[in-house]
Amino acid sequence: MRWILIIILAIAVEFFARFLTRKMEDKKKREKLLALIWFGFGAVLVVIWVINRFL
């Protein structure tokens, strides 16, 4: 059940990130920003997992 919520959240993050970067002209800058957003999302998931695992 948790994995389904994580997948749905990841899809929502993807759509939100695309919405935020839709008007950017520089494609390289856009891809860099999208990668940074995904890195941040992954870091948050890892932190949540570590907290739940050890507490």
Side-chain angles (χ1 to χ4, degrees):
M1 184 64 179
R2 269 189 222 159
W3 290 108
I4 294 172
L5 292 175
I6 290 172
I7 291 169
I8 291 171
L9 185 61
I11 292 169
V13 167
E14 176 69 22
F15 283 135
F16 185 66
R18 298 250 176 224
F19 174 75
L20 288 178
T21 61
R22 72 189 182 282
K23 300 276 184 177
M24 291 181 77
E25 295 295 326
D26 187 8
K27 297 296 181 192
K28 197 169 196 172
K29 197 176 207 180
R30 180 178 189 251
E31 291 300 318
K32 191 182 243 185
L33 183 61
L34 287 173
L36 185 65
I37 290 170
W38 274 111
F39 182 75
F41 179 69
V44 168
L45 285 180
V46 168
V47 167
I48 290 170
W49 177 78
V50 167
I51 289 171
N52 286 331
R53 178 85 174 160
F54 296 111
L55 290 180

